[in-house]
Structure formats: C-alpha cells, structure tokens
Amino acid sequence: MLSLILGLGIFIAVFYCIITEKVPGAWATMLGGLAMSMVGIFNEEQALHAVASRLEILFLLIGMMIIVHLISETGVFQWFAITLAKFVRGEPFLLIVFLAIVTAVCSAFLDNVTTILLMAPISILLAGELKLNPFPFVITEIMAANIGGTATLIGDPTQLIIGHESGLGFNEFLFNTSPVAIISMVILLANVYFIYGKDFHVSTELKARIMEMNPSRSLKDKKLLREAGTIFALVILGFVLNNFINKGLAIISLSGAFLLVTIAKRKPADIFKHVEWDTLFFFIGLFMMVLGIEKINVIDMVSDKMIAVTKGNFEFATMSIMTLSALFTSVIGNVANAATVSKIIDVMAPTFKGVHTDALWWALSFGSCLGGNISILGSATNVVAVGVAGKSGCKIDFVKFLKFGALIAIQTLVVAGIYLKLRYM
C-alpha cells in the first residue's frame, strides 16, 4: 500500500510540474523515474532494462533528428513554402491548404516538432506580408502536424511507442492509420474555410508582394540538399521494406544519419549539439516511470476494471481505449498516454478471442495523435508552435487553442471511431 501511495504521488507530482511548466519535462520525468527507484519501487537493474528494451525508439529518434537537421540547413523547407505561396498567387485559403498539406506530409516522415519549427515562422511571415491574422495559419499547421503524425510509424513519438509495444511495423501503420489521417485533413481544411474564410481578403498589391519573393534565395547548400535528399529517400525506402530486409528501423535510421554526416564532412560536436537531448531524456525518464506504475500494479488494476466494464464487448473496449486516450492526452500529453495505455492493452488484448485485436492499438494511435489537438498540453508540437508564434507576436492562449483544437479533435475522432467499426468489427 505504501508503494502504491508513493508511486501515484510521484506520478501525479511529475505531471503537475509538466502541465504547469514549473519544471522542464525532461527534468520532471527523470526526477520522477529516479525517485521511484530511490523509494524502492524498482531497482537499478530493472530501470536499466526498462530503458534498454526500448532503445530502438531512442536510436531511431537520434538518427532522424540528425538527418532532419542537415536537411533543414539547406533551406529547402523555406524554399518550398515560398514556392507554394507564389504557386497559389497569394490566395490566402489556397496558401493555408498547401502549407497544411506540406506540414502533414513532412510530419508523417520527419519529426513533427522539427517540421513545425521550420514551417510556423514561414507561415507567420507570409501572413504578415498579406496583412492577415496569423492565427488561422499557425493553428492549422499545428493541427496538420498532429494529424500527419498519425499516418506512419515514425510520424510521432507516440507511434514509435505503440509500434514497439505492439510489434506492428511501418507498413501496418501506413495502411491502417493513413486513411484516417487523410480524411482528418479534409475535415480540418473544411473547418478552416467555414470559420475563417470570410476573413481571407487580400488586396492585389499585397498579392503582388508575395509574387516578388525569390524562393531560390532560401536554398543555402544545394550539394548538401542532393546528398541529404538521396539518403533520406533511401532511409524511408528501408522503413517500407523492413518487413523483407529485417534490418530494424533504428539500424536503418542511424546508418543513414552517420553516412550523411560522413559524406557532408561534419564534426561530431557540431552534429550532436543539434540532437534534441531533452526529448530523449524525457523518454528515458518516462520509461522508468511507466515501469514504476507497472510495479505498483496500477496498470493491472485499470486493465481489470476496463475488462470488467467492457464485459467482453470488443467494440465497446476499442471505443473506450480511443476516447480515454484522447482525454488523457489532453491533460498529460500524448507520449505519456501512449506509454501508459499500451501496457493496459497488453493485458486486455489476450482476453478477446476471434477478433482483430490490432484495432485496440489503432484506437490508441487515433486517441493519442488526434486527441493531441484538443489542448496545448496534448503534444510537444503544440507547445513548441505556441512558443514560436508568441515570439512572433501571435499569442495563442490555452482557451483560444482549446476552442478550435477541441472542435477538430471531436470531429476527427468521430470519423476514426466510424472507421474502426467499419473496418475491424
């Protein structure tokens, strides 16, 4: 009983610190994990095993971070955004549509936090050139990043956790979650049009200013772009073919990253300082905390309760997983939700016989990724984007985000629920 009280107390305290931003997320989860060990919930060997068993996630992230950083050095993201603006001749809604699609596609195959860091400033710049409120541009890209991250195994850190725990591969995610991501993008853009379309009026003079922008000035290193683009394409091809070549996503990612830095002749110190170590340590601490929650039997208790409530009703269980995941994500973030609920699914899945239990994992995926749009706390992408927007003079507070984000999340989750029912039940 004492371990249960201490474990839950530490868990709640950590997420209170994260939600209120009193302590950086990486420090909070690391302190929480170490505190659980210090009070005897688990020992050092068990803590190290909890991290070691998930090294694929960490190494995959490191490899992709390095590749994305080198791609970003070329200026190709900025070039693409300006080129799109010229392509649509400065028409605001078409500009938002194309920027959102680019953000979603990039988020499906790159780190969505990095994508939003690159795309948000460009969108704010373009909105400023057109003398428009940048909020619809920024909030649409945030939603698009979270939706795009739903489409693939590598699109969002939550997907990596779900993939690791479920044993589902890159192609399984692509074929099962991407249809919902595509439909969700249509829903998002339709809402943007009906809610903000009336405000998208721009003079001919302002459109002409967009047409005068020169995208080629954004390209800083064409040689590096060719090298990085080729290796990135090979890495993605490796992910798709991994079921056949069986090399492992982490090995493919790291191989591409270190081949690229060797070809580009970068020094280790210059590369490693751009790795998002705070994200990696956030995960390490989180993995230890999830172990602690397992050790005090919270996951077993919740699982038993859900099994009792659902009473063998697989459809009810699947919808419950998705709904609860979305609600939890809006408070504790999608990464923490995925890491915790995946353990519950591990216990629940064997109790169902003769059904497509993978649907439980897709429900968790939709609840975590699409539910990440509900509040600023839903994902790291939201927090980063709001910070970038604030520095550029576009303040997005919690309530303002919630009003639009919850609207999009509810609609996309309803569609996801219908999709789950039609395809798997």
Side-chain angles (χ1 to χ4, degrees):
M1 179 59 73
L2 180 60
S3 294
L4 176 63
I5 294 172
L6 289 173
L8 283 177
I10 292 169
F11 192 84
I12 293 169
V14 165
F15 285 102
Y16 170 78
C17 291
I18 293 174
I19 291 169
T20 59
E21 300 181 1
K22 292 183 180 295
V23 179
W27 299 162
T29 60
M30 282 298 298
L31 286 171
L34 294 171
M36 285 184 173
S37 181
M38 292 297 290
V39 299
I41 294 175
F42 52 80
N43 58 35
E44 181 183 60
E45 181 181 355
Q46 292 168 326
L48 294 176
H49 182 267
V51 177
S53 64
R54 296 176 176 87
L55 280 179
E56 181 184 34
I57 296 173
L58 302 177
F59 286 159
L60 174 57
L61 282 174
I62 291 171
M64 294 306 292
M65 286 173 184
I66 292 172
I67 293 173
V68 169
H69 165 65
L70 287 171
I71 292 175
S72 70
E73 283 189 359
T74 68
V76 69
F77 292 106
Q78 292 87 337
W79 171 85
F80 201 40
I82 295 172
T83 300
L84 283 176
K86 292 172 68 70
F87 176 74
V88 300
R89 298 184 175 276
E91 289 294 337
F93 179 68
L94 287 178
L95 182 57
I96 284 183
V97 168
F98 280 103
L99 287 172
I101 292 173
V102 170
T103 300
V105 172
C106 289
S107 293
F109 295 101
L110 307 177
D111 172 58
N112 51 8
V113 172
T114 302
T115 300
I116 206 71
L117 275 172
L118 294 167
M119 295 299 292
I122 295 298
S123 298
I124 293 171
L125 168 66
L126 294 174
E129 291 291 332
L130 294 172
K131 305 297 182 186
L132 292 171
N133 178 8
F135 175 76
F137 288 77
V138 177
I139 198 69
T140 302
E141 287 193 347
I142 295 173
M143 305 287 117
N146 288 325
I147 290 170
T150 312
T152 68
L153 171 64
I154 60 172
D156 191 281
T158 60
Q159 303 289 73
L160 293 175
I161 292 172
I162 294 169
H164 180 272
E165 296 295 337
S166 65
L168 296 166
F170 186 88
N171 291 342
E172 283 90 347
F173 273 83
L174 186 64
F175 294 130
N176 287 278
T177 59
S178 59
V180 171
I182 293 170
I183 297 171
S184 296
M185 281 298 297
V186 174
I187 292 171
L188 168 64
L189 294 172
N191 276 273
V192 172
Y193 178 78
F194 287 112
I195 295 174
Y196 300 109
K198 62 182 181 297
D199 300 323
F200 293 151
H201 299 294
V202 177
S203 67
T204 304
E205 291 77 14
L206 291 175
K207 291 179 182 178
R209 186 182 300 177
I210 290 289
M211 297 304 294
E212 291 172 0
M213 298 178 74
N214 186 357
S216 61
R217 293 178 181 175
S218 300
L219 294 177
K220 304 169 186 176
D221 192 333
K222 294 183 180 179
K223 180 175 180 291
L224 177 60
L225 177 58
R226 288 192 296 270
E227 296 167 346
T230 300
I231 290 176
F232 175 69
L234 290 173
V235 168
I236 296 301
L237 180 62
F239 289 161
V240 174
L241 298 178
N242 186 56
N243 286 351
F244 303 100
I245 62 178
N246 195 30
K247 297 300 179 183
L249 301 184
I251 293 298
I252 294 171
S253 175
L254 287 175
S255 297
F258 285 101
L259 177 60
L260 180 56
V261 295
T262 302
I263 293 174
K265 298 179 181 179
R266 292 294 195 272
K267 295 180 179 178
D270 294 334
I271 292 297
F272 291 147
K273 69 182 179 183
H274 293 287
V275 172
E276 297 169 25
W277 295 107
D278 54 338
T279 299
L280 298 175
F281 276 98
F282 176 88
F283 279 123
I284 292 171
L286 181 64
F287 295 153
M288 289 194 287
M289 289 183 59
V290 171
L291 171 65
I293 293 298
E294 283 186 79
K295 290 294 183 182
I296 59 177
N297 297 318
V298 168
I299 289 176
D300 286 339
M301 287 188 288
V302 174
S303 302
D304 291 341
K305 187 66 175 177
M306 288 195 68
I307 291 170
V309 170
T310 56
K311 296 179 180 177
N313 187 326
F314 182 69
E315 180 179 339
F316 183 37
T318 303
M319 298 305 171
S320 297
I321 287 289
M322 186 179 72
T323 304
L324 290 175
S325 292
L327 294 174
F328 291 160
T329 289
S330 68
V331 177
I332 66 174
N334 55 9
V335 172
N337 173 75
T340 305
V341 178
S342 62
K343 296 298 181 183
I344 295 175
I345 294 177
D346 281 336
V347 177
M348 289 184 64
T351 66
F352 295 102
K353 304 296 182 182
V355 294
H356 199 308
T357 55
D358 284 354
L360 294 172
W361 296 107
W362 306 136
L364 173 57
S365 173
F366 297 142
S368 298
C369 294
L370 300 179
N373 281 330
I374 295 176
S375 77
I376 291 176
L377 303 174
S379 77
T381 304
N382 303 354
V383 176
V384 169
V386 168
V388 171
K391 291 177 182 177
S392 301
C394 176
K395 181 173 174 56
I396 304 175
D397 60 31
F398 188 91
V399 175
K400 192 174 185 180
F401 189 105
L402 183 67
K403 285 181 178 179
F404 186 77
L407 177 67
I408 301 301
I410 291 170
Q411 293 178 47
T412 55
L413 285 167
V414 168
V415 168
I418 296 171
Y419 170 83
L420 287 169
K421 179 176 176 58
L422 293 178
R423 184 164 180 181
Y424 305 107
M425 298 170 197

